[in-house]
């Protein structure tokens, strides 16, 4: 390997490590939120978590004076904020009705969709390795779902599956927006406006659905908000420094954490089918990680 190729490989390694670490934090947040969604209901768990998130990220955002976001950035923030409000509610509503690992596995349709959305919206050239990695990840998810869903599911679980699949479709577009925003704004600014806009969307229906949680739930709500913010900061940092096609397949690593957290906190068994599927997922991640990419061009974010 030439010195230039080594430099390029090292340049993409740090963004990938940041994204992988961010996804681990995000999976921990999912586990906390599943427990909160069971206790409070999906809407109240998401609403109060974002309320705590607004307070936490505001401390970071207003710590120093910042310039006003551009019109392009604000448009992206608004689109993504509304999208995430819908996506988060659907995901945690569904997660109450299916095991954590299954819910995360179902959501893995998103990176495959995002891979091709990146080609259309960001004009990224999708390499054969990236395509193969995404297919390996989907195959792994298929094995897991086949193993876990062999038994008959009742109506509640079926609705839960449908909600998570709808959430995953929205999440695919969210991944592409994440790359667009990372090119024109910093992680703290993105996290601040995301929390504010999602909170305002949820606040619009608060008179009908919001219920003040007991004091005992606030440590978990605050912890979930902190985990989400740290995850967002790390993932945004990574997406600003590498193309989406190199990073979206890393989303599959979240299943490993979901299986661990689901087993530890909710007593959800991990089967051999789960292990086999996870092996395929990891293989897809490694295929992208070991690829020697050409120097990524910084694509200017354009909104039609």
């Amino acid at each position: 390997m030439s010195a230039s190729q080594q430099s390029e490989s090292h340049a993409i390694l740090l963004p990938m490590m940041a994204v992988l670490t961010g996804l681990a934090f995000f999976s921990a947040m999912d586990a906390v939120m599943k427990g909160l969604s069971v206790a409070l209901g999906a809407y109240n768990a998401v609403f109060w978590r974002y309320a705590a998130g607004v307070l936490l990220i505001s401390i970071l955002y207003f710590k120093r004076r910042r310039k006003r976001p551009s019109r392009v950035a604000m448009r992206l923030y608004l689109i993504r904020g509304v999208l995430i409000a819908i996506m988060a509610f659907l995901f945690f509503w569904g997660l109450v009705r299916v095991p954590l690992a299954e819910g995360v596995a179902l959501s893995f349709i998103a990176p495959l969709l995002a891979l091709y959305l990146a080609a259309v919206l960001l004009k990224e050239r999708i390499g054969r390795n990236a395509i193969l990695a995404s297919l390996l990840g989907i195959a792994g998810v298929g094995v897991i779902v086949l193993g876990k869903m062999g038994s008959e599911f009742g109506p509640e679980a079926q609705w839960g599956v449908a909600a998570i699949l709808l959430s995953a479709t929205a999440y695919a577009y969210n991944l592409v927006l994440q790359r667009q925003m990372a090119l024109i704004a910093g992680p703290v600014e993105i996290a601040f406006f995301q929390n504010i806009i999602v909170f305002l969307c949820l606040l619009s229906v608060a008179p009908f659905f919001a219920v003040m949680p007991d004091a005992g739930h606030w440590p978990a709500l605050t912890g979930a908000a902190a985990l989400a913010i740290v995850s967002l900061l790390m993932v945004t940092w990574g997406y600003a420094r590498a193309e989406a096609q190199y990073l979206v397949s890393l989303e599959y690593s979240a299943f490993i954490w979901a299986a661990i957290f689901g087993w530890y906190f909710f007593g959800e068994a991990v089967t051999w089918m789960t292990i086999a599927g996870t092996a395929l997922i990891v293989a897809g991640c490694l295929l992208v990680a070991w690829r020697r990419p050409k120097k990524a061009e910084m694509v200017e974010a354009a909104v039609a």
Side-chain angles (χ1 to χ4, degrees):
M1 185 185 296
S2 68
S4 175
Q5 287 174 327
Q6 285 184 333
S7 177
E8 289 167 3
S9 295
H10 291 158
I12 203 169
L13 182 61
L14 281 177
M16 292 180 72
M17 291 302 296
V19 171
L20 282 170
T21 305
L23 290 170
F25 278 99
F26 199 77
S27 296
M29 184 274 295
D30 283 344
V32 176
M33 285 296 292
K34 173 166 181 166
L36 287 168
S37 296
V38 171
L40 304 175
Y43 170 80
N44 278 285
V46 175
F47 175 67
W48 293 111
R49 190 207 95 189
Y50 272 99
V54 167
L55 293 176
L56 292 177
I57 195 61
S58 293
I59 295 171
L60 290 177
Y61 184 76
F62 291 111
K63 192 174 181 180
R64 59 180 180 176
R65 188 174 181 180
R66 297 181 181 274
K67 63 180 181 179
R68 184 178 179 181
S70 66
R71 180 176 294 182
V72 171
M74 282 305 303
R75 184 178 178 184
L76 288 174
Y77 293 150
L78 286 169
I79 294 171
R80 193 180 186 221
V82 173
L83 191 70
I84 289 176
I86 297 169
M87 180 184 77
F89 171 76
L90 286 171
F91 181 74
F92 292 114
W93 188 88
L95 206 59
V96 171
R97 290 156 178 81
V98 299
L100 180 62
E102 286 180 24
V104 172
L106 288 168
S107 73
F108 285 155
I109 191 176
L112 180 62
L113 296 174
L115 190 66
Y116 301 102
L117 282 173
V120 175
L121 300 176
L122 302 183
K123 310 303 180 185
E124 292 186 3
R125 184 178 178 180
I126 306 302
R128 285 181 298 178
N129 279 27
I131 294 172
L132 180 58
S134 72
L135 293 177
L136 277 173
I138 291 296
V141 170
V143 170
I144 293 161
V145 172
L146 189 64
K148 285 191 168 287
M149 296 190 175
S151 59
E152 185 177 351
F153 268 57
E156 279 286 297
Q158 292 171 14
W159 280 111
V161 167
I164 290 172
L165 288 175
L166 283 173
S167 175
T169 303
Y171 187 53
Y173 185 36
N174 168 67
L175 289 172
V176 177
L177 288 173
Q178 186 167 270
R179 167 67 172 163
Q180 287 181 302
M181 291 190 305
L183 295 175
I184 61 175
V188 173
E189 179 181 305
I190 291 171
F192 173 75
F193 282 101
Q194 175 177 310
N195 277 270
I196 287 286
I197 293 169
V198 174
F199 175 69
L200 291 176
C201 289
L202 295 169
L203 184 63
S204 66
V205 294
F208 306 100
F209 301 110
V211 177
M212 180 64 71
D214 294 336
H217 291 304
W218 279 106
L221 287 165
T222 305
L227 286 168
I229 288 170
V230 171
S231 171
L232 180 58
L233 293 175
M234 298 192 76
V235 170
T236 302
W237 187 91
Y239 269 80
R241 288 158 177 82
E243 288 187 353
Q245 65 168 310
Y246 302 125
L247 301 177
V248 292
S249 292
L250 300 181
E251 296 282 330
Y252 301 129
S253 67
F255 177 81
I256 300 170
W257 295 107
I260 294 170
F261 294 140
W263 165 76
Y264 186 79
F265 292 108
F266 304 105
E268 298 165 359
V270 180
T271 66
W272 283 108
M273 292 284 277
T274 298
I275 295 171
T278 301
L280 288 171
I281 291 167
V282 172
C285 292
L286 292 176
L287 185 63
V288 174
W290 287 344
R291 182 186 175 188
R292 295 197 298 261
K294 295 180 180 179
K295 189 174 181 180
E297 293 184 4
M298 296 298 284
V299 183
E300 291 294 329
V303 182

